[in-house]
Amino acid sequence: MMILAVPVRPVNATDTTLVILVSDNEADCALANYIANITSNVVIIKTPWGVYDPNITAEIISYAPEEVIVIGGPIAVPDEYIEDLRDLGITVERWYGKNRYETNLAVLKNITARFQLQLQNRVILVAGKDLAGIKKALRLAIQERAMIILVNQTTDITRIMEMLGLRIKSVTIVETPVMNRTMLMIQKQLRERLKECNCTKVLINMTAERALEAIQMAEEKINTARELSRNATNPAIENVLKIAEKQLEDAKEAYNTGKYGLAYGLALAAKAKAEVVIRLAGENMRMMIMTKTKLKLEKELLRIEARIRVMERLGVNVTVALQLMEAVRAAIKNGDYDTAQELMIKLKEQLRICYMRGKKMIRGRGHMPVRGRRKP
């Protein structure tokens, strides 16, 4: 499967000092897009949720950033990315919470401080798993320079307002029919606790196009989950994957009979199950790597090679790094793992030197897109 890291807006690499790395999760991605639309000189690079791809690191290198902000926790954006970037001497900061709702609040607090943004006392509320609703909420938040806040049935509006230090004058509730129950609970809270607030509602009709988009996204996630779980040993993975596949099948059947709301809801459920599989498969793979020295070294070398190759293509002198890489490869092949580990340390340090010496030249060349095939 081909995975492309996509900048949200074209940016000249010579002007770029900040990269935002975010998963393709609709909630976290919306927050990244929000930042990109209300600030300048920010590049956004997306990685598949829960999946590490060394080519994504290579894409980041092609912008030669001084700093990278990661939106989302280590389940959404694996720690391997942070390790890759810090090994090169790039400053990395992760903005996240224990789930998408806490991440939402962490990002809002950080962007107001980091970018000195003066946002209006307006809030856009939307269910945190409502794909179509989040898209609409993002557009409204950008237009009105408002805060977009993700909610679910356990959200405490008063707590959120206190955490963000808000005195809200205007609230817009965005909802699709599928999320009606969640948003009714939120409306009840607003009536009880924010009596002087000007509240409006934006209803989104469920169309064939929106249902199909959700189905396609669920199918893509299930395909990724299926690929990652091929060698997994956790028995729960297969069971959850079967549930996701059945929900997707039911979503397609509902879509074909014109029941777009039902199709949309089933597709979202299938996508959520697929993400559980991706998380479990990732945890399973990391446990396997930690217990097998050869596999760990091979995976680490694969990660480093992607960085070396992109710098080589961008014109950075990586001759010494290439020599060390081949020496590591030979040591692994010969079963001399102690030597391989010692050489790996030297290789990482050499690669850091290459990046530090070459980053100005990389920026001067302008950005060159990087494409690659993910290797789980």
Side-chain angles (χ1 to χ4, degrees):
M1 179 174 65
M2 297 297 290
I3 294 177
L4 177 63
V6 184
V8 171
R9 61 167 73 176
V11 179
N12 188 323
T14 58
D15 298 328
T16 300
T17 56
L18 177 64
V19 167
I20 293 179
L21 175 63
V22 65
S23 78
D24 59 3
N25 166 295
E26 63 277 2
D28 294 349
C29 201
L31 297 173
N33 276 279
Y34 180 73
I35 295 171
N37 278 277
I38 60 177
T39 58
S40 59
N41 292 336
V42 173
V43 169
I44 294 179
I45 295 178
K46 293 190 288 185
T47 180
W49 186 93
V51 177
Y52 169 74
D53 178 0
N55 294 296
I56 299 294
T57 301
E59 180 74 14
I60 294 171
I61 290 171
S62 70
Y63 285 96
E66 295 289 348
E67 182 180 8
V68 174
I69 291 175
V70 176
I71 293 180
I75 293 176
V77 183
D79 279 332
E80 286 92 330
Y81 287 118
I82 292 181
E83 293 167 6
D84 287 354
L85 298 170
R86 285 180 175 164
D87 281 349
L88 294 174
I90 298 172
T91 300
V92 185
E93 186 176 348
R94 189 190 282 275
W95 294 354
Y96 76 109
K98 64 182 180 180
N99 53 41
R100 65 181 61 196
Y101 307 98
E102 297 296 329
T103 293
N104 176 207
L105 299 181
V107 170
L108 289 176
K109 290 175 71 174
N110 277 301
I111 62 173
T112 52
R114 171 65 185 265
F115 300 107
Q116 288 82 49
L117 296 178
Q118 298 298 318
L119 299 174
Q120 303 296 327
N121 286 326
R122 299 175 182 173
V123 169
I124 313 294
L125 299 179
V126 63
K129 295 186 178 181
D130 191 352
L131 178 62
I134 289 172
K135 282 190 170 185
K136 179 64 176 179
L138 174 62
R139 288 195 294 270
L140 291 173
I142 292 169
Q143 290 169 8
E144 300 178 12
R145 208 170 180 80
M147 288 191 175
I148 179 171
I149 295 179
L150 307 175
V151 299
N152 61 12
Q153 293 190 22
T154 63
T155 295
D156 185 332
I157 293 294
T158 303
R159 171 179 170 270
I160 289 175
M161 302 313 166
E162 290 174 352
M163 286 182 65
L164 297 176
L166 294 176
R167 292 183 178 179
I168 296 178
K169 296 179 180 179
S170 172
V171 173
T172 300
I173 297 171
V174 179
E175 69 173 78
T176 58
V178 175
M179 299 296 171
N180 180 259
R181 182 179 298 179
T182 296
M183 302 317 289
L184 282 175
M185 295 181 69
I186 295 300
Q187 289 175 61
K188 182 180 178 183
Q189 282 193 52
L190 291 172
R191 286 194 300 269
E192 293 173 351
R193 305 179 191 183
L194 299 173
K195 296 180 181 179
E196 297 180 1
C197 178
N198 177 26
C199 297
T200 58
K201 182 186 289 190
V202 175
L203 297 175
I204 302 174
N205 294 326
M206 189 46 58
T207 63
E209 181 182 5
R210 290 184 175 121
L212 181 60
E213 181 182 11
I215 288 171
Q216 290 171 339
M217 185 173 289
E219 190 158 33
E220 182 179 334
K221 290 292 181 184
I222 287 174
N223 288 338
T224 299
R226 191 180 294 119
E227 182 181 347
L228 292 173
S229 62
R230 281 177 183 168
N231 299 316
T233 57
N234 185 340
I237 290 176
E238 184 178 354
N239 294 331
V240 179
L241 183 57
K242 285 181 179 178
I243 294 172
E245 291 171 337
K246 180 62 168 62
Q247 288 174 326
L248 178 61
E249 182 183 329
D250 291 344
K252 290 180 178 180
E253 183 178 342
Y255 178 85
N256 290 332
T257 57
K259 299 176 182 177
Y260 302 130
L262 178 59
Y264 179 81
L266 286 167
L268 293 184
K271 173 180 169 293
K273 290 290 191 301
E275 288 176 344
V276 171
V277 173
I278 291 170
R279 175 177 60 81
L280 292 175
E283 291 172 354
N284 191 263
M285 175 58 74
R286 289 182 184 91
M287 288 179 63
M288 288 175 58
I289 291 173
M290 291 301 294
T291 58
K292 297 181 180 180
T293 303
K294 182 181 179 182
L295 181 60
K296 182 179 179 181
L297 286 167
E298 288 174 340
K299 289 291 184 181
E300 196 166 6
L301 191 62
L302 184 68
R303 290 166 58 182
I304 289 176
E305 183 170 7
R307 283 171 262 167
I308 292 175
R309 296 303 181 190
V310 72
M311 281 193 262
E312 181 182 37
R313 188 172 65 81
L314 293 169
V316 178
N317 184 348
V318 292
T319 303
V320 176
L322 285 169
Q323 292 170 349
L324 284 168
M325 182 178 72
E326 293 308 319
V328 172
R329 199 188 309 277
I332 295 172
K333 184 178 180 179
N334 294 331
D336 189 353
Y337 302 140
D338 289 340
T339 298
Q341 288 171 336
E342 291 173 5
L343 289 170
M344 190 75 78
I345 293 171
K346 294 180 180 179
L347 175 56
K348 288 182 179 180
E349 179 57 30
Q350 180 59 37
L351 201 55
R352 181 179 180 278
I353 292 170
C354 290
Y355 178 75
M356 288 299 177
R357 289 176 177 172
K359 60 185 178 182
K360 288 185 179 179
M361 182 189 66
I362 294 173
R363 291 174 194 155
R365 290 173 64 95
H367 177 249
M368 298 171 64
V370 175
R371 297 170 186 258
R373 182 174 295 275
R374 177 170 58 80
K375 299 179 182 179

